[in-house]
Every structure is written in C-alpha cells, then in structure tokens.
Amino acid sequence: MRTLELHDGVVRMIDQRLLPGQLVYVEIRDYATVARSIQEMWVRGAPAIGAAGGFGLALAARASTAATSDAFLAEMDRVGQELYQTRPTAVNLGWAINRILNKAHASKLSVAGLRDLIVAEAQAIAAEDIITNEKMARYGASLINDGDTIIHHCNTGPLATVDVGTALGCIIQAHRDGKKIHVLVDETRPRLQGARLTAWELMQYGVPMTLIADNAAGHYLYRKLANKVFYGADRVASNGDVANKIGSYKLAVVAHENGVPVYSVMPTSTIDMALASGLDIPIEERGADEVTTIDGVRFAPVGVQVGNPAFDVTPHKYLTGIVTERGIVYPPFKENLLRIMDSAEG
Ligand code: MRU
C-alpha cells in the first residue's frame, strides 16, 4: 500500500483527512489539484509532500503545450514555484522540485525529452524514498531495546512518506525484529496526526501502544514510565536544530530534563545546510479553524484570536542523535552533519 503513486498521468493518493474512518484513494490529473492536496493536507509528512511535489510537476509537464524548450522550462519553473509555496517548512518539497528542475535545465533536451525526464525524475524520487526509509529504519531500530517505552510525536509512519516511514519506520522495524516495545502515541494537537494516523498505523502493524494527550508526556517522563523519545523532522538546520510538528520542542525539553534520550529521524533531503540555525527555518502558520474546531464542530468562542504555528524548532542541545539513511549523527552536530552530507550513502 503506497501513500501516493503516479501511473499514466494520474496521481493516486490516500486522502489522509478521512483516516482512520475511511481508507479512500483520490485520483488527481492536474498539478493545481496536487498543489491543493498538499496545502489542505490530503497528503502530509515531509517526504510524502516532496514526492507529491515531484508528481505535480510531472502532471504539469505532461499537460504542457509549450512549443519550445525555453517556454516549457519557464512554465515548469512557474509551476514549481506554485507547488513550493503550498507548505513552506518541509524542505523536501523544495528539494524535490529543485532536483527535477535543475536536471531539466541542465539537459538541453527537446520538449518531448524534457517531459520524459521530468516524469522519470519524479518517479525516481518516489522510488528512492522507500529505499532511503528502509535504511533509516534499520539504523533507528538499532537504538531501540527490548523493554523500551517510546514516546512518539505526530505521524512519521508509512503515511508520512511514500512507504515505510521515518521515526515510526524505526519503531515498526524494532517490533518486526522481535523487540518487546511499547509506544506512547502523542495525540498531536491541533490536527491530531497522532490519534488519527499513528494510532491507526501501529494498530495495523500490531505494535503495542497507548494513545496519550500531548500534555501527558511530562507525567510519563517524570515517573520513568518512558525511556526514549522518537520523532521526525520537516527541516534541519546545519547546526542540528530540528523543525518538526508543533509540540516537539516542549517534549524534547521535558525528556532532556528527565535524562531521556531524544532521537529525530529524517532523510538527508530534510537537512538544509544553507541555514545556520533553527531560527532561519520558516514556520508555517495555518488557519484558526484547526484550533477552534474538531471535525467541523466549534468549541472555542466565535471571534477568538488564534495562533496556529504548525511546527516548532528543537534546539540541537536537546537532541541525543539524528538518524539518517547514511547513519546516526551524534554531537557535535555541526561538524558531524557536514561530514555525513559529504559522505556517500551508508
Ligand atoms: O503537518 P504535517 O502533518 O505534514 O507534519 C508532519 C510532521 O511534522 C512529521 O513529523 C514530519 O513530516 C517528519 S516525518 C515524515
């Protein structure tokens, strides 16, 4: 079961807004609807939206009527911009779009050749995502021991990627390896990715779990009822500061205070070496309705002022390790991230 795929000019993706109630695939035939699906979070999770962005560009390439290569490339640049603006924090979206456009610009091909190149590169990004996640899952699973109780934030499972997942991929791998583990699943307000998606995925895989309110994590950590924290990342700065789902920072600080290790898991495509620190990472602000309503039912007073940052930054001093497909990175993160980004895949 893939989160999303492209076949014969049709993007097929799970509409994650409907889970866990209904498992529905939607079919998308134009890039503008792909852009909408990313913005409205039919598809979400950093690697999944990177793959979706690539597929959006592929649909635009197939539909283009440009007569010259220059006109075609100018149109693809415009579409790339439009897709990239849908969600600003997860760098995988820009990474995927730039990877495809850079290859197209460097190729000097005809319009037909460029069209094939863009579709092939988008497919390659999606296929590589699965292999990358499998490698990460093995590295991350090596950090998990028999008897561990792990707090997990947001959704980082197969649904957040093309398949396999990032942090949750490591946890599922540890379970498959026969380790007796338990997962405390943060519900992850305001959109409840933990309660809706992570709980559903772990139940599919038979991983023992307990759903908790985000506010309960401190209780479990203080009482030594949890001994590891795992979450993903949407963008990592070159010093190791990690932007991830809102609430990750608070969780990491409380874990650190209680001597509990915190691991963030991401493909190297999530690491943005152009940024000096987490303060440079753009944080997406989403609509007020995500905070004032659940499933369309309003519980906050009409007219209340709302703040809804979708992500926060965990300063690197709170992280024990960063897990990538090239291996596990430990402090000092600045030096060691530089080394791993320059290295070949492990
Ligand atoms: O707003 P979302 O649901 O796209 O946020 C997802 C996360 O924050 C994940 O933890 C992150 O993308 C990394 S895991 C694939």
Side-chain angles (χ1 to χ4, degrees), residues 41 44-47 87 153-156 160-161 166 193 232-234 244-245 311:
M41 295 174 66
R44 32 70 46 208
R87 293 204 71 193
H153 195 65
C154 194
N155 173 262
T156 67
T161 62
T166 60
Q193 287 95 329
D234 288 83
N244 191 53
K245 180 51 55 193
F311 304 96

Side-chain angles (χ1 to χ4, degrees), residues 72-273:
F72 178 86
L73 286 170
E75 185 184 340
M76 293 305 112
D77 287 345
R78 270 197 313 277
V79 169
Q81 267 306 315
E82 208 177 308
L83 287 162
Y84 184 42
Q85 278 158 13
T86 53
R87 293 204 71 193
T89 301
V91 73
N92 304 61
L93 184 53
W95 168 85
I97 289 165
N98 285 338
R99 172 171 151 175
I100 295 170
L101 290 177
N102 289 342
K103 197 158 183 183
H105 276 279
S107 73
K108 311 269 177 283
L109 288 168
S110 64
V111 170
L114 284 167
R115 191 174 281 133
D116 289 347
L117 177 150
I118 288 177
V119 173
E121 196 64 11
Q123 293 286 24
I125 286 170
E128 285 168 25
D129 180 59
I130 300 173
I131 297 164
T132 296
N133 296 340
E134 282 167 349
K135 288 183 185 164
M136 270 183 325
R138 294 195 182 281
Y139 282 119
S142 74
L143 297 167
I144 298 172
N145 301 318
D146 232 6
D148 278 354
T149 297
I150 303 160
I151 302 187
H152 175 273
H153 195 65
C154 194
N155 173 262
T156 67
L159 287 165
T161 62
V162 178
D163 204 350
V164 179
T166 60
L168 208 64
C170 304
I171 291 170
I172 293 167
Q173 183 62 47
H175 170 76
R176 283 189 166 142
D177 292 342
K179 293 176 185 166
K180 302 228 171 330
I181 57 171
H182 197 93
V183 187
L184 296 176
V185 176
D186 269 0
E187 60 176 350
T188 318
R189 279 282 294 148
R191 285 189 68 105
L192 299 168
Q193 287 95 329
R196 293 180 194 270
L197 307 176
T198 301
W200 182 75
E201 284 185 322
L202 288 179
M203 288 170 84
Q204 308 284 313
Y205 287 94
V207 181
M209 56 146 287
T210 303
L211 179 63
I212 61 170
D214 299 340
N215 296 336
H219 162 81
Y220 288 95
L221 289 162
Y222 176 64
R223 301 239 163 188
K224 310 262 177 262
L225 298 171
N227 68 330
K228 262 162 211 161
V229 169
F230 267 72
Y231 53 70
D234 288 83
R235 195 185 298 222
V236 181
S238 62
N239 68 346
D241 292 352
V242 165
N244 191 53
K245 180 51 55 193
I246 193 76
S248 302
Y249 172 38
K250 205 162 84 169
L251 176 61
V253 172
V254 183
H256 188 260
E257 170 68 19
N258 287 281
V260 170
V262 179
Y263 297 101
S264 176
V265 184
M266 79 294 299
T268 48
S269 54
T270 306
I271 301 172
D272 189 346
M273 295 301 278

